[in-house]
Structures are given as structure tokens and as C-alpha cells.
Amino acid sequence: MSHSANKELILGIMVGITGISLLLLWYHKVRKPSTAMNLPKFLSLGNAYDSMTLQDEMHNDQGRQLQILEKLNELLTNMEELKEEIRVLKETIPKLEEYVHGELGGKTATHRISPQHRARKRRLATVHSSGTSNSSEEAESEGGYITASTDTEEQSFPVPKALNTHAEELNLDVLLRKADNLRAKETSKTESFELLDDYKEKFRDEVEFIWRFARAYGDMSELSTNIQEKKHFANIGKTLAEKAVTRAPMNGHCHLWYAVLCGYVSEFEGLQNKVNYGHRFKEHLDKAIQLLPEEPFLYYLNGRYCYAISKLSWIEKKMAATLFGKIPSSTVQEALQNFLKVEDLHPRFSKSNYMYLAKCYIDLKQTKEAMKFCNLAEQLPCVTKEDKMAHEDMKKMCTAFKG
């Protein structure tokens, strides 16, 4: 038997003996005086008491017994509470020791988060949250990554177990190719993120690594179904992307993923911050298009932006302009040109792009063209979560056409 087990056994025996001793001591104190006083009196009087007096005496005795039972029950309850407090104390002491050790060592507790809530242990960037307003404030941590602030206490989430089983270290080029190849499959995005996370300290200053790591955090935000996790991943990713833009202002991928992550973060912000992030999104998206004019994904995002702006009502635009200044304007025709540009650069780019092409043509009263892209969309598989949503919208549109 281990030393700790012996200590627990001895502690348990001591608690048990103490409880029994207290129980006996209390019982003698309560029971003996009443017995010494009442029993001799009852015997000496013999038949002098009539039946009513005897019943009264028996009734009083029963009342004292009930009081004793109630006291015993109260004592047993207190004993159970004491045992529970001892159990909690034994569980807390090791954690307290770890906490004190961490505080003295100047270490920050590491947050662990998983998009699938799987209890797999692994290191992740430290996150603290602070919510004095609707906006999220981020600061770069000691490791070069993010510490965020919220209005709640620190939370610990389970994190995916490391899938990195390679025997030798990968150089930067090989690592980036491997991460890109894994990300190409929707089912391997988590693995791509974990691979990059394994090398975050080694390549923390490499721009090509940083924007990919930011992109991976965006993927995790999209994959997660937990609101706090989504927000956590989005905030870290945005901070990494901002760091990449600062270090490489002429790298289009840095601007692209900073724009995307601003969009993700805006989902958790108030109206004013949503508008501010919208301005940032458009600013960096336009810059990315200048630097990467042949990237179809950029035109898809721009088309989505133009379409959303074009669908704002007059009153919505007027209110936003009054509250937050000038609001950009756009038209369905502008959105259509962007979606067509995507198809030109990358035919069969995605089911979602076909869906938006169909929507634009419906708005422009060109039913024949809209039906054409509905049919094309049906031929493409559902690869991403966005594709699945687009598929449902396409079915509704096709049903409306046929009706």
C-alpha cells in the first residue's frame, strides 16, 4: 500500500473514532441524567400513581426518546458533511499545490480547446478574456501568440490529441506543403491545424507559417459548434493574421486571411463593431485582390460582400449611416460580376458560388440563367458545411421554379 493510501486510511480511522467518541459522550450526557432522576422515582412510588399519571410519564419518556433520536440524526448528518468536506479537501490540495507552483514559477495556465469536444491532451496558446465592452481585446503573449480578455474566469477546454507522429523534424517548406495538402480535405483540417501547432514555436517568426496558422484557427472556428470555442479560435486567428499583415504588408494571403478572420470575429460583436469590422474586411479584401488578382476565392468573398450590401433596405442603410458614418454601397450586378469572375478563373469552383449566381439572376429577373446554375450546382458534391447549406437553398429555389 502506498504512503498516500496509508495516510488516507489513518485519517479515515481517526475521523471514525472521533465521531463514535463524540456520539457516546453526547449520549451519556443526555441520557444518564434523565434516567437517574426518573427511574428511581417511578419505582419508589409503586402503585401510588394512577393510570393517567403513568400514561403522562410514558408520554414524557417517549418525547425524550424522540429528542434523542433527533439529536442522533443531526449528529450523523454533521458527520456525513464532515466526511464530504474531508474528501473535497483531499482532492483540492494537489490542485492547490499545482496552482501555487505555477504562480511562483510565473507560468500562465494553458487553455485547451477542441472543435469536436474530444478529451485529447495537447498544448495551445494561453487565453484570458476581458469583456468591458462588446469588442474583444487581444495582446501578444510571451510565446508570440495571443492572450485574449473576457469578462469571465478562465475556462479550460479539451484539445485534440497531437497527431504529429513524425520521427524527424520537418523543414518549413515540407511542413507548409503537408499542412496545405491536409487542409485540402475537409475531414483533415483539424489534423492540419494540429500539425502547424506542433511547430508554432520553431517557425513563429516566419510569415508563410503565421498566415497559415491564422487560417487554421479560422478553420477551427468554422468547425466548432460551441460558441465560446468559435469565438476563442476566431480571436486568436485574427491576432495572428494581423501580425502577418504587419510583418508582410505586400503579401496578399496575409490580407486575405486577416479579412476573413475579421468577418468571423464580427459575428460575436455588437452593431458598431460589426460595422467597423466590415470596413476592415473590405479594406483588406481589396488589398488582397490587388496583390493576388488570379485568386478565385477573393472574388467569391467580394461577391458575397457586394450581394449582402445590395440586399440592405433603405432604412437599414440610412440608420447605419446616421449612427456610424458612411456605409458602402453595392448592387446585385456588381455581385454577379464577381461570381462570374470566380467561374472564369476556376470553373466548378463550389456549389455555393453557383447558388449565388442563381440568386443574382433571380433578382435580375433572368430565370433561364438562374435555372442553368441551379442545375450545375446539383452536379457538384457537398464538400464543406457551406456547401451543405447552399444545397438546401438550391433545393428550395428549384422547387420554386418548378412550382
Side-chain angles (χ1 to χ4, degrees):
M1 186 179 293
S2 66
H3 179 65
S4 61
N6 283 331
K7 286 169 60 180
E8 292 176 3
L9 180 60
I10 292 170
L11 181 60
I13 292 171
M14 290 175 64
V15 170
I17 292 172
T18 303
I20 293 170
S21 300
L22 288 170
L23 183 61
L24 291 173
L25 183 62
W26 179 89
Y27 181 83
H28 285 296
K29 183 178 179 180
V30 173
R31 183 64 177 163
K32 281 185 177 180
S34 63
T35 304
M37 178 181 65
N38 294 322
L39 187 57
K41 181 190 293 186
F42 177 75
L43 289 176
S44 63
L45 292 176
N47 293 329
Y49 285 120
D50 58 17
S51 59
M52 183 63 70
T53 305
L54 180 61
Q55 288 177 2
D56 289 343
E57 188 69 26
M58 291 175 66
H59 177 74
N60 292 335
D61 192 52
Q62 288 176 354
R64 285 191 295 271
Q65 290 178 7
L66 287 174
Q67 289 179 0
I68 292 171
L69 289 174
E70 289 173 0
K71 293 292 184 181
L72 284 171
N73 183 62
E74 183 180 347
L75 182 60
L76 290 173
T77 301
N78 291 337
M79 293 273 298
E80 289 297 323
E81 292 177 354
L82 179 62
K83 286 167 61 179
E84 178 64 18
E85 289 176 2
I86 291 173
R87 184 189 66 78
V88 172
L89 186 60
K90 287 194 296 184
E91 292 178 355
T92 305
I93 286 174
K95 297 178 182 178
L96 181 62
E97 183 180 356
E98 292 176 4
Y99 175 77
V100 172
H101 178 73
E103 287 294 308
L104 292 176
K107 296 179 180 179
T108 309
T110 301
H111 283 267
R112 306 187 182 280
I113 301 185
S114 164
Q116 286 87 20
H117 299 275
R118 291 173 291 182
R120 299 187 291 171
K121 294 182 180 179
R122 174 185 176 82
R123 294 177 297 108
L124 257 189
T126 304
V127 177
H128 300 285
S129 290
S130 158
T132 55
S133 67
N134 285 329
S135 65
S136 302
E137 298 178 359
E138 299 83 22
E140 195 173 339
S141 72
E142 183 180 354
Y145 298 107
I146 173 166
T147 58
S149 300
T150 80
D151 53 355
T152 59
E153 294 183 359
E154 288 189 354
Q155 303 179 38
S156 292
F157 299 100
V159 174
K161 181 177 70 177
L163 299 179
N164 176 17
T165 56
H166 49 269
E168 58 186 54
E169 290 290 311
L170 302 179
N171 64 42
L172 181 61
D173 290 339
V174 174
L175 171 66
L176 299 183
R177 281 199 303 271
K178 187 173 182 179
D180 289 345
N181 290 336
L182 286 170
R183 186 181 180 273
K185 298 179 181 179
E186 188 75 7
T187 55
S188 301
K189 284 184 176 180
T190 299
E191 188 175 351
S192 177
F193 166 77
E194 291 170 343
L195 178 64
L196 291 170
D197 189 60
D198 285 336
Y199 287 88
K200 67 184 179 186
E201 296 301 328
K202 183 175 181 180
F203 298 120
R204 53 183 286 183
D205 295 322
E206 298 289 342
V207 170
E208 290 298 312
F209 176 87
I210 297 171
W211 71 254
R212 282 177 171 85
F213 200 23
R215 178 184 67 180
Y217 269 105
D219 292 339
M220 294 300 98
S221 182
E222 282 289 279
L223 290 171
S224 178
T225 56
N226 178 279
I227 297 298
Q228 289 302 318
E229 287 184 356
K230 291 174 77 70
K231 182 178 179 180
H232 168 84
F233 284 125
N235 278 322
I236 294 179
K238 184 186 76 69
T239 300
L240 285 171
E242 190 170 18
K243 176 181 177 181
V245 168
T246 301
R247 296 197 174 198
M250 298 307 292
N251 186 314
H253 291 100
C254 298
H255 289 280
L256 162 60
W257 291 106
Y258 180 64
V260 170
L261 284 150
C262 281
Y264 289 164
V265 170
S266 71
E267 295 176 15
F268 310 103
E269 300 293 338
L271 181 58
Q272 184 170 1
N273 283 332
K274 282 184 187 293
V275 173
N276 291 335
Y277 276 120
H279 285 303
R280 278 196 237 177
F281 174 87
K282 183 59 174 162
E283 175 189 350
H284 288 274
L285 186 63
D286 289 344
K287 184 66 175 178
I289 290 174
Q290 293 175 16
L291 297 170
L292 300 170
E294 301 301 312
E295 173 54 60
F297 184 49
L298 289 168
Y299 296 99
Y300 171 73
L301 291 175
N302 203 36
R304 289 282 302 271
Y305 177 84
C306 293
Y307 189 79
I309 295 297
S310 73
K311 304 305 284 185
L312 289 175
S313 66
W314 177 86
I315 189 65
E316 287 173 326
K317 291 178 181 178
K318 193 71 175 175
M319 287 178 63
T322 301
L323 291 171
F324 310 117
K326 183 180 178 182
I327 298 297
S329 62
S330 189
T331 64
V332 173
Q333 189 64 44
E334 287 180 89
L336 175 64
Q337 293 306 312
N338 278 280
F339 294 128
L340 288 173
K341 180 71 172 179
V342 174
E343 181 67 7
D344 181 52
L345 291 171
H346 191 308
R348 298 167 62 88
F349 177 74
S350 72
K351 187 182 285 284
S352 296
N353 194 61
Y354 281 153
M355 180 197 71
Y356 277 102
L357 279 165
K359 282 187 172 184
C360 288
Y361 280 118
I362 290 172
D363 291 343
L364 295 171
K365 311 298 183 185
Q366 298 182 36
T367 306
K368 185 176 179 180
E369 287 297 312
M371 196 64 198
K372 167 189 167 183
F373 286 107
C374 279
N375 292 332
L376 288 172
E378 287 182 348
Q379 299 173 19
L380 293 182
C382 290
V383 178
T384 65
K385 184 166 63 175
E386 187 179 37
D387 287 339
K388 293 176 183 176
M389 294 171 63
H391 181 71
E392 294 301 317
D393 285 346
M394 294 299 293
K395 286 198 301 185
K396 293 176 184 177
M397 283 192 288
C398 288
T399 302
F401 281 137
K402 293 173 183 178

